[in-house]
């Protein structure tokens, strides 16, 4: 039974010692049993008093029946001799006496056979009983020896647990092992009590034999040869009896010593188990403290994240996004800490989590890519609600930037005007990683675009003078909102940390099939692009009419 408790190298040492001691204890037990069986078969030690008296009466009856049979047979033989030498006058009387004597002999024979048969059967049964006890002891010894010689399969060493669940399981296992070892010590104590109970009558008989031996040894000397022979026979009988009793008691005494050694060995084994129990209990308390500290750190990090979000993020929508991300990160951290703490096999858990993570990544790759795109969009040059952007072939104003989707109010361009179509266009945030779908937006703080106006004149006209008048007309319109454009330009340089050319109207000439094409490019404010184009067209028309 103790072989099932082995899970450490030291346990194997204790188990082998206990097994060796147990084999010796069992061998001594059988040795004592055989000696006591021989003692019982040679004496009336184990025969009850009532049985002894009954057997004595049956023996006396058998002796009386045998004596009666002998007497009746002698009487019948005498009558037959008398009949052989009798006179005719006495023959009739003697023949009748012989017939009566034969009947008496037959009755005595029947009685003798009945009584002697019972006594003989009782004696045979007593001898068979003694032999049967010895045969049972020998058979039991062979069975126990075969079982003790069976090899014990080596137990796999249990690795030290690192998780809370594993430590709790180890504590329960060590508690069960401690109870089993305590039961083994109790069983050894019970065997010692049984040994004392078995030794009590033997001690009493040995004490009586020793007292009778002392009396015989201390008897006064005598010159009577008959008395000396009688003393010799008594001393020899006492010596044989003492040897028989000692042969039964010495193994019991040795067994008691081995049982004490066995109990001490089991006690040392139990002490090591108790030490392991306390060590695992300390480790469990340590893991609990570490778990509490980690959870407190996570909670403190969550509180700090919340305060920083409310302090530095003014936009309500973005603040909501940051708080949502905070809850997700907090949940993931708590689940990871609890899983790592309560997992029974960290290596298997790591493999399992890796497989699960790979499966989730494959199944939710679009969602994960959109979440990553969200953080790209809200970067330094990212997209904000209200920005005018172009994604793929769609122009629109940004309505909302979610964790997964970006929503645009579609704009339809007609001439210089961009008018709402009344539709909302949704794009996944993963569009920022697509090569074929470009995203165009204004830099933060800038709201100007470049427009141009063109006019083709014959080659024989004074196109230089006309170019100057057209540029002067555009500059006159540009002067009305120059300050706003220059301010946006300064903000752009400061954001980009570089110096760029200020946006001002300028003109270019291009040869066309029908003459010379004059192009005037000028910056316009996004919100007033149509009005500015109207003013530029009117100013250029007047300038060309004057020319």
């Amino acid at each position: 039974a103790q072989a099932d408790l082995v899970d450490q190298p030291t346990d194997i040492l204790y188990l082998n010692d206990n097994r060796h001691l147990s084999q010796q204890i069992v061998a001594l037990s059988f040795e004592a049993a055989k000696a006591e069986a021989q003692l019982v078969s040679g004496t009336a030690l184990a025969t009850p008093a009532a049985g002894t008296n009954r057997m004595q009466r049956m023996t006396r009856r058998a002796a009386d029946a045998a004596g009666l049979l002998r007497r009746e047979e002698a009487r019948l033989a005498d009558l037959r001799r008398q009949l052989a030498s009798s006179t005719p006058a006495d023959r009739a009387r003697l023949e009748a006496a012989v017939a009566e004597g034969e009947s008496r002999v037959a009755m005595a024979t029947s009685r003798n056979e009945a009584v002697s048969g019972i006594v003989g059967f009782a004696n045979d049964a007593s001898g068979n009983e003694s032999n049967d006890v010895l045969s049972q002891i020998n058979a039991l010894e062979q069975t126990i020896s075969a079982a003790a010689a069976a090899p014990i399969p080596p137990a796999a060493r249990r690795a030290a647990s690192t998780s809370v669940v594993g430590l709790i399981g180890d504590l329960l296992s060590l508690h069960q092992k401690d109870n089993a070892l305590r039961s083994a010590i109790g069983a050894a104590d019970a065997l010692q009590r049984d040994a004392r109970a078995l030794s009590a009558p033997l001690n009493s008989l040995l004490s009586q034999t020793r007292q009778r031996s002392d009396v015989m040894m201390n008897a006064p000397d005598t010159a009577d040869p008959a008395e000396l022979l009688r003393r010799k026979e008594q001393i020899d009988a006492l010596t044989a009896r003492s040897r028989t009793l000692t042969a039964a008691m010495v193994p019991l005494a040795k067994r008691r010593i081995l049982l004490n050694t066995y109990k001490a060995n089991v006690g040392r084994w139990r002490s090591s188990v108790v030490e392991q129990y306390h060590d695992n209990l300390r480790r469990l308390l340590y893991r609990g403290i570490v778990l509490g500290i980690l959870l407190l750190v996570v909670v403190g990090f969550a509180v700090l994240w919340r305060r920083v979000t409310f302090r530095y993020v003014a936009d309500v929508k973005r603040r909501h996004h940051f708080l949502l991300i905070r809850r997700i990160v907090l949940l993931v951290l708590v689940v990871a800490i609890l899983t790592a703490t309560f997992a029974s096999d960290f290596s298997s858990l790591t493999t399992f989590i890796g497989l699960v993570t790979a499966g989730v990544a494959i199944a939710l790759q679009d969602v994960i890519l959109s979440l990553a795109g969200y953080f790209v969009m809200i970067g330094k040059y990212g997209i904000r609600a209200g920005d005018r952007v172009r994604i793929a072939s769609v122009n629109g104003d940004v309505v909302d930037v979610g964790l997964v989707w970006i929503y645009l109010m579609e704009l339809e361009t007609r001439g210089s005007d961009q008018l709402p179509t009344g539709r909302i266009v949704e794009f996944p945030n993963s569009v920022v990683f697509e090569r074929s779908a470009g995203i165009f937006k204004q830099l933060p703080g800038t709201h100007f675009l470049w427009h141009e106006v063109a006019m083709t004149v014959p080659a024989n006209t004074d196109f230089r003078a006309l170019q100057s008048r057209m540029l002067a007309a555009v500059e006159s319109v540009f002067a009305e909102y120059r300050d706003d454009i220059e301010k946006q330009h300064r903000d752009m340089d400061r954001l980009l940390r570089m110096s760029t050319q200020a946006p001002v109207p300028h003109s270019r000439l291009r040869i066309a099939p029908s003459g010379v094409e004059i192009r005037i490019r000028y910056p316009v404010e996004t919100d007033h692009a149509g009005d500015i184009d109207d003013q530029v067209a009117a100013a250029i028309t007047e300038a060309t009419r004057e020319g």
Side-chain angles (χ1 to χ4, degrees):
Q2 294 179 3
D4 297 335
L5 306 177
V6 174
D7 56 9
Q8 297 294 331
T10 54
D11 296 343
I12 299 177
L13 300 178
Y14 291 120
L15 176 65
N16 291 333
D17 292 343
N18 288 344
R19 190 181 188 190
H20 181 66
L21 292 172
S22 300
Q23 292 174 350
Q24 293 182 357
I25 291 171
V26 170
L28 291 173
S29 300
F30 280 109
E31 182 180 348
K34 292 176 182 179
E36 190 165 356
Q38 293 176 357
L39 179 65
V40 171
S41 64
T43 63
L45 176 65
T47 304
T52 302
N53 296 332
R54 187 181 302 110
M55 192 63 187
Q56 291 175 355
R57 288 196 300 270
M58 292 296 296
T59 303
R60 286 196 299 270
R61 290 178 183 177
D64 294 341
L68 177 61
L69 177 60
R70 288 193 298 271
R71 289 193 301 272
E72 293 297 331
E73 288 177 347
R75 179 174 175 277
L76 177 60
D78 183 62
L79 288 175
R80 286 176 177 173
R81 286 193 301 271
Q82 292 179 11
L83 178 62
S85 60
S86 64
T87 61
D90 294 332
R91 180 175 295 275
R93 181 181 60 77
L94 290 174
E95 288 179 352
V98 169
E100 189 266 343
E102 290 176 352
S103 297
R104 292 170 63 93
V105 169
M107 181 179 292
T109 301
S110 176
R111 181 180 299 178
N112 179 64
E113 289 177 353
V115 178
S116 61
I118 294 174
V119 173
F121 182 80
N123 291 330
D124 292 341
S126 177
N128 291 334
E129 181 180 359
S130 176
N131 293 332
D132 186 61
V133 170
L134 287 175
S135 63
Q136 291 181 9
I137 292 175
N138 291 328
L140 183 61
E141 182 180 15
Q142 293 177 0
T143 303
I144 297 298
S145 299
I152 298 177
R157 179 178 180 181
R158 178 182 297 177
S161 300
T162 57
S163 64
V164 172
V165 175
L167 290 174
I168 293 176
D170 289 346
L171 288 176
L172 295 177
S173 176
L174 291 173
H175 182 69
Q176 294 176 355
K177 184 188 293 188
D178 181 53
N179 290 337
L181 295 177
R182 191 184 299 112
S183 300
I185 295 176
D189 292 333
L191 286 176
Q192 286 188 330
R193 289 192 297 269
D194 293 340
R196 286 193 292 269
L198 290 172
S199 302
L202 298 179
N203 284 327
S204 178
L205 290 176
L206 185 61
S207 178
Q208 295 176 5
T209 302
R210 189 181 299 110
Q211 292 176 1
R212 293 178 60 185
S213 299
D214 292 339
V215 171
M216 296 299 299
M217 297 296 292
N218 295 327
D221 296 336
T222 179
D224 186 2
E227 179 65 18
L228 291 175
L229 291 175
R230 187 184 64 81
R231 290 183 181 181
K232 177 183 180 304
E233 293 177 356
Q234 293 180 354
I235 291 174
D236 291 341
L238 291 174
T239 301
R241 187 174 180 82
S242 177
R243 288 177 179 175
T244 304
L245 292 172
T246 303
M249 291 188 60
V250 169
L252 293 178
K254 292 180 180 179
R255 193 183 76 161
R256 184 166 56 250
I257 296 174
L258 290 178
L259 281 173
N260 289 330
T261 306
Y262 173 85
K263 288 168 53 180
N265 191 61
V266 175
R268 289 191 294 270
W269 190 356
R270 184 168 174 262
S271 298
S272 68
V273 171
V274 172
E275 184 178 355
Q276 295 178 23
Y277 182 88
H278 291 162
D279 182 63
N280 285 356
L281 184 60
R282 287 192 296 268
R283 292 173 59 192
L284 179 61
L285 293 176
Y286 171 75
R287 292 302 298 273
I289 293 173
V290 172
L291 174 61
I293 293 175
L294 290 177
L295 292 178
L296 288 176
V297 170
V298 171
V299 172
F301 175 72
V303 172
L304 180 62
W305 189 331
R306 181 181 179 85
R307 291 184 177 180
V308 170
T309 301
F310 276 97
R311 182 172 181 179
Y312 295 102
V313 180
D315 183 60
V316 177
K317 191 67 177 180
R318 182 174 296 182
R319 181 185 299 170
H320 172 73
H321 291 164
F322 274 100
L323 294 179
L324 180 60
I325 295 172
R326 166 184 167 273
R327 285 194 294 270
I328 295 175
V329 172
L330 179 64
L331 179 61
V332 171
L333 289 177
V334 171
V335 171
I337 292 173
L338 293 179
T339 303
T341 302
F342 289 95
S344 58
D345 189 350
F346 188 76
S347 59
S348 300
L349 175 66
T350 304
T351 304
F352 175 74
I353 291 178
L355 294 176
V356 171
T357 303
V360 172
I362 294 174
L364 302 178
Q365 56 181 344
D366 293 335
V367 177
I368 296 174
L369 199 60
S370 296
L371 291 174
Y374 170 78
F375 292 101
V376 174
M377 287 186 177
I378 64 174
K380 182 176 182 181
Y381 305 109
I383 299 174
R384 307 290 189 273
D387 289 347
R388 181 163 295 179
V389 299
R390 179 181 179 184
I391 300 177
S393 60
V394 178
N395 294 327
D397 292 335
V398 177
V399 177
D400 186 20
V401 180
L403 288 175
V404 180
W405 298 91
I406 180 173
Y407 303 91
L408 301 182
M409 182 177 65
E410 186 184 20
L411 299 177
E412 180 181 4
T413 303
R414 292 183 179 180
S416 300
D417 296 326
Q418 292 186 344
L419 305 175
T421 63
R423 296 184 299 182
I424 293 292
V425 183
E426 297 179 355
F427 288 97
N429 294 339
S430 58
V431 72
V432 298
F433 301 108
E434 296 181 6
R435 297 180 180 178
S436 59
I439 299 179
F440 303 91
K441 68 174 295 291
Q442 295 290 130
L443 283 172
T446 63
H447 301 281
F448 65 89
L449 298 173
W450 286 94
H451 283 189
E452 67 178 14
V453 62
M455 177 180 291
T456 303
V457 296
N460 56 1
T461 61
D462 189 3
F463 57 85
R464 289 289 185 183
L466 183 58
Q467 179 186 12
S468 299
R469 290 196 300 272
M470 291 176 62
L471 182 59
V474 173
E475 288 179 348
S476 64
V477 176
F478 175 71
E480 298 178 2
Y481 58 91
R482 178 189 295 273
D483 294 339
D484 291 337
I485 297 298
E486 290 179 350
K487 179 178 182 301
Q488 294 179 34
H489 175 257
R490 289 193 298 270
D491 293 340
M492 183 180 67
D493 286 349
R494 184 170 59 255
L495 179 64
L496 297 177
R497 296 181 180 178
M498 60 183 297
S499 179
T500 60
Q501 185 177 359
V504 293
H506 59 276
S507 65
R508 291 290 184 267
L509 297 176
R510 189 174 72 87
I511 297 177
S514 58
V516 178
E517 183 183 51
I518 303 173
R519 289 180 176 271
I520 306 296
R521 301 187 75 248
Y522 55 93
V524 298
E525 290 183 322
T526 303
D527 297 336
H528 307 286
D531 296 336
I532 294 175
D533 287 343
D534 289 344
Q535 295 178 14
V536 169
I540 291 177
T541 301
E542 293 178 359
T544 56
R545 185 183 301 122
E546 292 175 357

